Amino acid sequence: MEAAMGELKDMADPLFRIVASHLAPAVVRIGGISADWYKYTFSMEHTDTRPTDPNDWPPFPDAPRNLSMGDFHTMLDFMRASNLSLQFNLNELYGRVCNFTHRPVPYNPGQWCEGNWDTTNVREFLQYVHDNKLFDGHTLYSFELGNELVSHLDPVANTNDIIALGAMVQEIWADAPVKPRVYAPSTDACNNPEQLLIMKNITHAPGVTGYTFHAYPGQSGTGNNSLERILMSEDWLRNGIMTGSAASMCFGAWNQGPRDGGLELLITEASSSWSWQLPPPAQNSFLHGMFTIPELGQFAAAGAGIVARWSFMEGSPFATIAHDYAAGGWKVAADYWLILAHKRLIGSIILSVDDGGAGPLIYAACGKAGNGSIVITAANPSNSTVDVSVQTESGSTIPTLPRFDWIFTAPGGDLIYSNSSSLNGSPALTIQRDGSLPSDFTGKYVADLKFAVLTLPPMSQAFFVLLSSDVNVCH
């Protein structure tokens, strides 16, 4: 999950913490472009006073701004209470002057940064974290450096900063058997050769754990990439997720040495579109689940360690968890339920699937129980019912009974405008007033031979847990 810096007030809400805790274990990346300029202060007072309305935010860059240790402890308290893990974005542009015209093409004129990173403040912050024993590998999981700096910072300077941060963490935690992980550069330009060169040049750098990038394959979500069009296109869902934001190029570069060199690859912002202003169906709609299923399936099969949904909490109009101003309390995006089912059911071993290159999007993984069961995940964006048979590579049939079905459809068939999901024909799933999950959020047990075929209703998203598949690698 990915969150912005401005949501500290919500992190202290006990009800919000309950709703968030259902997604645990999970890594929450707190960052964004503002994080690049924060000055860390060592007061316990709350100091981030950014307006809650994005229309009132100052223009880029909006530094100087302070982030106090009181703010940072609020983040840690939230993570601890919700059993989540924090990946914290550090201030790489602190001390730089960022009012130059970009070279050689001014596609963000007046936003190019020159000068050196002033590391005195980040060193003081990291020393504070060390001395106060705030890093435990779980509540505070890792640090990340940079956020979409391709049009703001020279890639050689970016590389040098990453290497310097890795060395700094190694030095400060020299006495620790487990040290904080360091990730970078959180690029949004996998098609830029200089950004891919950063990946190569940080491989084997002491203290640097992995490379991070962002994936918004539907780009603006308008015109030929309108969400209503692409999220109902089997071809785009099968091919466009990897190519639309050039994610395939980041994976390709990773597989040419860095992966074998031990460098991890994380996607620290991901959604079908980066736009904040889309009409329905937007990124919190039921239809968006047609993207969520293949996104998770394809990125997992490619080896990504984390896929962080943009965004986790408000700051955007399509947050995973958002205020319910009408009813009070909190509401969730439709694919919250898909993510929750995915986390409960899917194990860490991803299985290869040949779905014939047409029809529903099909993926498979070992079940979380580790008892030989497998989980078939599927998205059917068509208007037709589709039956799915499951066979091994050699052609032998995999038993589909008994199993648990988790079949999600749009309540009342309102595919375009619904921002909720129905599970196995139940009423729309909703978070309860006390933050708990509805009692009907559970799979349907199926053992009758007449239901041996896996059936995907029109416009559905599904998980099938095959309890008797007895796949060797899944034990």
Side-chain angles (χ1 to χ4, degrees):
M1 296 294 174
E2 190 274 340
M5 288 285 198
E7 278 58 68
L8 293 171
K9 62 186 183 302
D10 291 336
M11 291 184 183
D13 185 315
L15 198 58
F16 176 80
R17 292 179 173 190
I18 293 172
V19 179
S21 71
H22 301 311
L23 296 168
V27 173
V28 178
R29 180 248 193 181
I30 295 184
I33 196 64
S34 296
D36 287 325
W37 281 280
Y38 270 109
K39 177 182 179 180
Y40 310 119
T41 65
F42 296 88
S43 162
M44 295 308 290
E45 298 295 322
H46 176 67
T47 56
D48 182 11
T49 56
R50 181 175 67 176
T52 55
D53 185 348
N55 294 319
D56 295 331
W57 292 355
F60 175 103
D62 58 3
R65 287 179 46 206
N66 293 334
L67 187 101
S68 73
M69 290 307 96
D71 300 329
F72 187 66
H73 279 277
T74 296
M75 298 179 197
L76 293 180
D77 289 344
F78 164 71
M79 300 296 164
R80 194 174 295 112
S82 304
N83 194 29
L84 298 169
S85 299
L86 171 62
Q87 179 166 302
F88 186 69
N89 210 164
L90 297 174
N91 63 356
E92 187 173 4
L93 298 183
Y94 182 77
R96 287 185 159 113
V97 178
C98 297
N99 58 6
F100 296 90
T101 297
H102 183 276
R103 55 164 183 83
V105 180
Y107 49 95
N108 268 317
Q111 298 177 2
W112 185 255
C113 301
E114 298 284 359
N116 296 322
W117 180 24
D118 181 349
T119 60
T120 55
N121 185 240
V122 75
R123 177 179 283 276
E124 189 177 8
F125 167 70
L126 294 174
Q127 193 67 54
Y128 174 90
V129 172
H130 172 273
D131 294 350
N132 288 275
K133 298 179 171 58
L134 299 181
F135 171 73
D136 61 2
H138 176 69
T139 300
L140 178 57
Y141 175 76
S142 62
F143 297 112
E144 186 181 31
L145 191 65
N147 183 86
E148 300 185 356
L149 295 181
V150 63
S151 59
H152 309 304
L153 187 64
D154 185 276
V156 174
N158 197 351
T159 301
N160 291 338
D161 293 344
I162 298 164
I163 293 171
L165 177 62
M168 193 185 309
V169 168
Q170 293 291 101
E171 175 192 340
I172 292 172
W173 273 270
D175 59 345
V178 179
K179 299 172 176 59
R181 296 164 177 253
V182 172
Y183 296 96
S186 218
T187 185
D188 59 343
C190 283
N191 59 348
N192 184 300
E194 292 179 328
Q195 295 293 297
L196 299 182
L197 189 59
I198 294 174
M199 184 192 300
K200 177 182 177 181
N201 289 336
I202 65 174
T203 303
H204 304 302
V208 178
T209 313
Y211 185 91
T212 54
F213 72 95
H214 298 171
Y216 296 99
Q219 304 294 316
S220 66
T222 59
N224 288 336
N225 281 336
S226 73
L227 294 195
E228 185 173 348
R229 187 189 77 81
I230 64 177
L231 300 183
M232 297 175 72
S233 166
E234 293 169 352
D235 180 68
W236 187 90
L237 293 169
R238 186 168 275 106
N239 301 297
I241 289 175
M242 277 291 185
T243 60
S245 59
S248 58
M249 298 182 73
C250 268
F251 282 108
W254 183 50
N255 285 318
Q256 292 175 10
R259 183 177 192 171
D260 289 341
L263 196 73
E264 297 178 15
L265 192 65
L266 309 186
I267 304 168
T268 48
E269 288 185 22
S271 186
S272 60
S273 167
W274 42 255
S275 175
W276 290 56
Q277 299 174 325
L278 292 177
Q283 297 94 319
N284 59 346
S285 66
F286 172 81
L287 189 61
H288 196 259
M290 299 297 179
F291 168 81
T292 302
I293 290 283
E295 171 203 37
L296 293 175
Q298 291 171 31
F299 288 155
I306 288 173
V307 180
R309 183 193 187 277
W310 186 64
S311 63
F312 177 50
M313 50 202 304
E314 283 185 309
S316 73
F318 43 79
T320 311
I321 306 172
H323 284 279
D324 188 340
Y325 292 107
W330 297 90
K331 61 184 178 180
V332 297
D335 65 354
Y336 171 95
W337 305 106
L338 293 179
I339 295 167
L340 191 54
H342 189 278
K343 295 185 69 63
R344 290 190 172 191
L345 304 175
I346 301 291
S348 59
I349 298 176
I350 307 303
L351 303 176
S352 177
V353 174
D354 180 1
D355 64 4
L361 291 299
I362 308 288
Y363 307 91
C366 294
K368 202 157 194 174
N371 57 5
S373 64
I374 65 171
V375 182
I376 305 296
T377 63
N380 178 19
S382 77
N383 288 308
S384 302
T385 298
V386 180
D387 291 337
V388 178
S389 61
V390 186
Q391 297 179 330
T392 65
E393 192 173 22
S394 62
S396 58
T397 300
I398 295 176
T400 59
L401 296 173
R403 69 173 186 267
F404 283 103
D405 287 357
W406 298 66
I407 300 176
F408 296 86
T409 51
D414 186 5
L415 181 71
I416 302 303
Y417 293 99
S418 177
N419 290 334
S420 58
S421 290
S422 170
L423 175 59
N424 296 324
S426 69
L429 295 165
T430 56
I431 293 292
Q432 305 303 289
R433 294 299 296 272
D434 63 356
S436 63
L437 300 177
S439 59
D440 53 359
F441 186 70
T442 186
K444 176 183 178 182
Y445 184 73
V446 178
D448 193 321
L449 282 173
K450 66 183 179 181
F451 299 116
V453 174
L454 307 182
T455 299
L456 292 170
M459 301 294 185
S460 63
Q461 303 140 15
F463 299 80
F464 300 102
V465 184
L466 309 185
L467 300 174
S468 297
S469 48
D470 198 30
V471 174
N472 288 335
V473 73
C474 295
H475 282 280

